[in-house]
Amino acid sequence: ITMSPVNMSALLNAIAEKFTPQSQRAGVEIKVETVGALPTISADGDRLAQVFTNLVDNALKFTPRDGLISLLASVQNNEVQITVTDTGAGIPEEALAHIFGRFYQADPARKGGEQHGAGLGLAIAHEIVQAHGGRISVRSRLGEGTSFDVFLPLTRK
């Protein structure tokens, strides 16, 4: 992890822009919203981009046409909170406790191909967020969608 000043608004907008071609093909809207001005934080921008790339990529895989993926960022209690929410299939409740485990896949019966990974993305995202002194959590309802909350400490002046 190489820490430097990171503009979270710019990072989140760059992630959304990166996925524009895929989201347009899938018929899914990606929206970035910030509540108030986000401060610059001390972080590894490349590693955080990896976290949000993984979350948005997963959301795109499981969100049907005409769905929405939103990235909402705000400052809460000396932390930047970024919530990535989709209107996709959701994650079964029994899978939520294991979702950040290495090689875990909520639906092991899924067919291979583009939508089938090694089950490492969320485990790596979890480790990157923890390495920043932050935390990540998940909420989901079958048939309604999933939200991942990422909390990162603010830059100390």
Side-chain angles (χ1 to χ4, degrees):
I1 301 259
T2 304
M3 304 297 254
S4 62
V6 174
N7 177 327
M8 287 304 297
S9 292
L11 186 139
L12 296 174
N13 281 304
I15 296 296
E17 187 176 315
K18 171 182 173 178
F19 281 100
T20 296
Q22 296 99 306
S23 69
Q24 287 177 342
R25 278 195 304 273
V28 174
E29 181 185 357
I30 299 177
K31 183 172 81 172
V32 178
E33 184 181 348
T34 57
V35 177
L38 294 182
T40 297
I41 65 169
S42 180
D44 185 324
D46 291 339
R47 296 291 69 78
L48 288 183
Q50 187 178 352
V51 168
F52 294 108
T53 293
N54 178 270
L55 294 177
V56 172
D57 185 52
N58 285 345
L60 262 174
K61 289 176 185 174
F62 298 104
T63 301
R65 181 165 289 283
D66 296 324
L68 172 66
I69 298 167
S70 65
L71 289 79
L72 174 63
S74 63
V75 175
Q76 305 287 333
N77 303 320
N78 293 322
E79 296 176 306
V80 174
Q81 177 181 349
I82 303 99
T83 301
V84 179
T85 301
D86 65 57
T87 56
I91 300 168
E93 189 172 335
E94 61 275 10
L96 291 176
H98 309 285
I99 202 77
F100 296 110
R102 289 181 180 274
F103 306 110
Y104 185 80
Q105 295 178 344
D107 184 2
R110 279 191 329 209
K111 297 203 180 300
E114 276 185 35
Q115 293 192 5
H116 189 73
L120 285 171
L122 290 175
I124 291 168
H126 185 260
E127 289 182 17
I128 291 170
V129 170
Q130 283 191 321
H132 281 83
R135 62 195 192 287
I136 184 171
S137 60
V138 61
R139 296 171 280 128
S140 188
R141 293 183 73 106
L142 282 178
E144 294 180 21
T146 302
S147 294
F148 284 89
D149 296 301
V150 176
F151 299 88
L152 299 167
L154 292 176
T155 302
R156 301 277 183 235
K157 299 256 189 235

Short mmCIF file of all heavy atoms in Angstrom, two decimals, residues 18-48:
data_model
loop_
_atom_site.label_atom_id
_atom_site.label_comp_id
_atom_site.label_asym_id
_atom_site.label_seq_id
_atom_site.Cartn_x
_atom_site.Cartn_y
_atom_site.Cartn_z
N LYS A 18 -15.23 4.22 -16.47
CA LYS A 18 -14.56 3.01 -16.96
C LYS A 18 -15.59 1.95 -17.36
O LYS A 18 -15.39 1.20 -18.31
CB LYS A 18 -13.63 2.47 -15.86
CG LYS A 18 -13.04 1.13 -16.10
CD LYS A 18 -12.20 0.72 -14.90
CE LYS A 18 -11.73 -0.71 -15.01
NZ LYS A 18 -10.87 -1.08 -13.88
N PHE A 19 -16.70 1.87 -16.62
CA PHE A 19 -17.71 0.84 -16.87
C PHE A 19 -18.82 1.30 -17.82
O PHE A 19 -19.76 0.54 -18.07
CB PHE A 19 -18.33 0.37 -15.55
CG PHE A 19 -17.45 -0.61 -14.83
CD1 PHE A 19 -16.65 -0.20 -13.78
CD2 PHE A 19 -17.42 -1.95 -15.21
CE1 PHE A 19 -15.83 -1.09 -13.12
CE2 PHE A 19 -16.59 -2.86 -14.56
CZ PHE A 19 -15.80 -2.43 -13.51
N THR A 20 -18.73 2.51 -18.36
CA THR A 20 -19.78 3.02 -19.25
C THR A 20 -20.06 2.09 -20.44
O THR A 20 -21.22 1.78 -20.69
CB THR A 20 -19.44 4.45 -19.74
OG1 THR A 20 -19.42 5.31 -18.60
CG2 THR A 20 -20.46 4.96 -20.73
N PRO A 21 -19.04 1.59 -21.16
CA PRO A 21 -19.36 0.71 -22.30
C PRO A 21 -20.12 -0.55 -21.87
O PRO A 21 -21.12 -0.92 -22.51
CB PRO A 21 -17.99 0.35 -22.88
CG PRO A 21 -17.08 1.44 -22.42
CD PRO A 21 -17.61 1.87 -21.08
N GLN A 22 -19.68 -1.20 -20.79
CA GLN A 22 -20.34 -2.42 -20.32
C GLN A 22 -21.76 -2.11 -19.83
O GLN A 22 -22.69 -2.87 -20.09
CB GLN A 22 -19.56 -3.10 -19.18
CG GLN A 22 -18.21 -3.61 -19.58
CD GLN A 22 -17.10 -2.64 -19.19
OE1 GLN A 22 -17.14 -1.46 -19.53
NE2 GLN A 22 -16.11 -3.13 -18.49
N SER A 23 -21.91 -1.01 -19.10
CA SER A 23 -23.24 -0.69 -18.56
C SER A 23 -24.21 -0.35 -19.68
O SER A 23 -25.38 -0.72 -19.62
CB SER A 23 -23.15 0.44 -17.53
OG SER A 23 -22.83 1.66 -18.13
N GLN A 24 -23.74 0.33 -20.72
CA GLN A 24 -24.61 0.65 -21.84
C GLN A 24 -25.04 -0.62 -22.57
O GLN A 24 -26.22 -0.77 -22.92
CB GLN A 24 -23.92 1.63 -22.80
CG GLN A 24 -23.85 3.03 -22.24
CD GLN A 24 -23.09 3.99 -23.15
OE1 GLN A 24 -22.33 3.58 -24.03
NE2 GLN A 24 -23.29 5.28 -22.92
N ARG A 25 -24.10 -1.55 -22.77
CA ARG A 25 -24.45 -2.82 -23.41
C ARG A 25 -25.46 -3.61 -22.58
O ARG A 25 -26.35 -4.26 -23.11
CB ARG A 25 -23.19 -3.68 -23.63
CG ARG A 25 -22.40 -3.31 -24.87
CD ARG A 25 -21.40 -4.37 -25.24
NE ARG A 25 -20.48 -4.71 -24.17
CZ ARG A 25 -19.34 -4.08 -23.91
NH1 ARG A 25 -18.96 -3.06 -24.66
NH2 ARG A 25 -18.56 -4.47 -22.93
N ALA A 26 -25.30 -3.54 -21.25
CA ALA A 26 -26.18 -4.30 -20.35
C ALA A 26 -27.50 -3.58 -20.08
O ALA A 26 -28.41 -4.16 -19.48
CB ALA A 26 -25.45 -4.54 -19.02
N GLY A 27 -27.60 -2.31 -20.48
CA GLY A 27 -28.82 -1.55 -20.22
C GLY A 27 -28.98 -1.21 -18.75
O GLY A 27 -30.09 -1.13 -18.24
N VAL A 28 -27.85 -1.00 -18.07
CA VAL A 28 -27.84 -0.68 -16.63
C VAL A 28 -27.23 0.70 -16.45
O VAL A 28 -26.18 1.01 -17.00
CB VAL A 28 -27.03 -1.74 -15.84
CG1 VAL A 28 -26.89 -1.35 -14.38
CG2 VAL A 28 -27.67 -3.11 -15.97
N GLU A 29 -27.90 1.55 -15.66
CA GLU A 29 -27.38 2.89 -15.38
C GLU A 29 -26.43 2.85 -14.20
O GLU A 29 -26.70 2.16 -13.20
CB GLU A 29 -28.54 3.84 -15.07
CG GLU A 29 -28.08 5.26 -14.78
CD GLU A 29 -29.22 6.17 -14.35
OE1 GLU A 29 -30.38 5.76 -14.31
OE2 GLU A 29 -28.92 7.34 -14.02
N ILE A 30 -25.31 3.57 -14.30
CA ILE A 30 -24.40 3.74 -13.17
C ILE A 30 -24.42 5.21 -12.80
O ILE A 30 -24.19 6.08 -13.64
CB ILE A 30 -22.96 3.30 -13.50
CG1 ILE A 30 -22.93 1.82 -13.87
CG2 ILE A 30 -22.03 3.58 -12.32
CD1 ILE A 30 -21.56 1.31 -14.28
N LYS A 31 -24.72 5.48 -11.52
CA LYS A 31 -24.87 6.85 -11.05
C LYS A 31 -23.91 7.07 -9.87
O LYS A 31 -23.84 6.24 -8.97
CB LYS A 31 -26.32 7.07 -10.61
CG LYS A 31 -26.64 8.47 -10.15
CD LYS A 31 -28.14 8.63 -9.93
CE LYS A 31 -28.50 8.07 -8.57
NZ LYS A 31 -29.89 8.35 -8.18
N VAL A 32 -23.20 8.19 -9.90
CA VAL A 32 -22.33 8.59 -8.79
C VAL A 32 -22.93 9.82 -8.15
O VAL A 32 -23.27 10.78 -8.83
CB VAL A 32 -20.88 8.90 -9.26
CG1 VAL A 32 -20.02 9.36 -8.11
CG2 VAL A 32 -20.26 7.69 -9.95
N GLU A 33 -23.06 9.77 -6.83
CA GLU A 33 -23.61 10.91 -6.09
C GLU A 33 -22.78 11.15 -4.84
O GLU A 33 -22.44 10.21 -4.13
CB GLU A 33 -25.06 10.61 -5.70
CG GLU A 33 -25.76 11.77 -5.03
CD GLU A 33 -27.20 11.42 -4.64
OE1 GLU A 33 -27.72 10.39 -5.07
OE2 GLU A 33 -27.77 12.22 -3.88
N THR A 34 -22.46 12.41 -4.59
CA THR A 34 -21.78 12.75 -3.35
C THR A 34 -22.67 13.70 -2.55
O THR A 34 -23.33 14.57 -3.12
CB THR A 34 -20.40 13.41 -3.60
OG1 THR A 34 -20.59 14.56 -4.42
CG2 THR A 34 -19.45 12.46 -4.30
N VAL A 35 -22.69 13.47 -1.26
CA VAL A 35 -23.45 14.33 -0.35
C VAL A 35 -22.44 15.32 0.24
O VAL A 35 -21.59 14.93 1.03
CB VAL A 35 -24.13 13.51 0.76
CG1 VAL A 35 -24.86 14.44 1.72
CG2 VAL A 35 -25.08 12.49 0.15
N GLY A 36 -22.51 16.57 -0.21
CA GLY A 36 -21.53 17.56 0.23
C GLY A 36 -20.19 17.32 -0.46
O GLY A 36 -20.04 16.41 -1.28
N ALA A 37 -19.22 18.15 -0.10
CA ALA A 37 -17.88 18.01 -0.68
C ALA A 37 -17.12 16.92 0.07
O ALA A 37 -17.15 16.87 1.30
CB ALA A 37 -17.14 19.34 -0.57
N LEU A 38 -16.47 16.06 -0.69
CA LEU A 38 -15.66 15.01 -0.07
C LEU A 38 -14.24 15.52 0.11
O LEU A 38 -13.65 16.07 -0.83
CB LEU A 38 -15.63 13.76 -0.94
CG LEU A 38 -16.92 13.01 -1.14
CD1 LEU A 38 -16.67 11.77 -1.99
CD2 LEU A 38 -17.55 12.62 0.19
N PRO A 39 -13.67 15.34 1.29
CA PRO A 39 -12.28 15.75 1.47
C PRO A 39 -11.34 14.77 0.78
O PRO A 39 -11.71 13.64 0.47
CB PRO A 39 -12.10 15.67 3.00
CG PRO A 39 -13.07 14.64 3.44
CD PRO A 39 -14.24 14.75 2.49
N THR A 40 -10.14 15.22 0.53
CA THR A 40 -9.08 14.34 0.03
C THR A 40 -8.66 13.45 1.20
O THR A 40 -8.55 13.92 2.32
CB THR A 40 -7.89 15.18 -0.47
OG1 THR A 40 -8.34 15.98 -1.56
CG2 THR A 40 -6.73 14.32 -0.91
N ILE A 41 -8.47 12.16 0.93
CA ILE A 41 -8.01 11.27 1.99
C ILE A 41 -6.63 10.72 1.65
O ILE A 41 -6.22 10.72 0.48
CB ILE A 41 -9.00 10.11 2.25
CG1 ILE A 41 -9.11 9.18 1.04
CG2 ILE A 41 -10.37 10.65 2.65
CD1 ILE A 41 -9.86 7.88 1.34
N SER A 42 -5.94 10.25 2.64
CA SER A 42 -4.66 9.61 2.44
C SER A 42 -4.91 8.13 2.21
O SER A 42 -5.42 7.43 3.09
CB SER A 42 -3.76 9.82 3.67
OG SER A 42 -2.51 9.20 3.46
N ALA A 43 -4.60 7.66 1.00
CA ALA A 43 -4.92 6.29 0.63
C ALA A 43 -4.07 5.86 -0.56
O ALA A 43 -3.35 6.66 -1.13
CB ALA A 43 -6.40 6.19 0.27
N ASP A 44 -4.17 4.59 -0.91
CA ASP A 44 -3.56 4.08 -2.12
C ASP A 44 -4.65 4.08 -3.19
O ASP A 44 -5.51 3.20 -3.20
CB ASP A 44 -3.01 2.67 -1.88
CG ASP A 44 -2.24 2.12 -3.07
OD1 ASP A 44 -2.63 2.41 -4.22
OD2 ASP A 44 -1.24 1.40 -2.84
N GLY A 45 -4.62 5.07 -4.05
CA GLY A 45 -5.66 5.24 -5.06
C GLY A 45 -5.81 4.04 -5.98
O GLY A 45 -6.93 3.67 -6.34
N ASP A 46 -4.70 3.42 -6.36
CA ASP A 46 -4.78 2.26 -7.24
C ASP A 46 -5.48 1.10 -6.55
O ASP A 46 -6.29 0.40 -7.15
CB ASP A 46 -3.38 1.81 -7.69
CG ASP A 46 -2.74 2.81 -8.64
OD1 ASP A 46 -3.46 3.62 -9.26
OD2 ASP A 46 -1.50 2.78 -8.76
N ARG A 47 -5.16 0.88 -5.27
CA ARG A 47 -5.80 -0.23 -4.53
C ARG A 47 -7.28 0.07 -4.30
O ARG A 47 -8.11 -0.83 -4.40
CB ARG A 47 -5.10 -0.49 -3.20
CG ARG A 47 -3.65 -0.94 -3.31
CD ARG A 47 -3.41 -2.34 -3.90
NE ARG A 47 -3.70 -2.53 -5.30
CZ ARG A 47 -2.94 -2.16 -6.33
NH1 ARG A 47 -1.80 -1.56 -6.12
NH2 ARG A 47 -3.31 -2.40 -7.58
N LEU A 48 -7.63 1.32 -3.98
CA LEU A 48 -9.05 1.66 -3.80
C LEU A 48 -9.80 1.52 -5.12
O LEU A 48 -10.95 1.07 -5.14
CB LEU A 48 -9.21 3.06 -3.22
CG LEU A 48 -8.82 3.23 -1.76
CD1 LEU A 48 -9.12 4.66 -1.30
CD2 LEU A 48 -9.51 2.22 -0.86
#
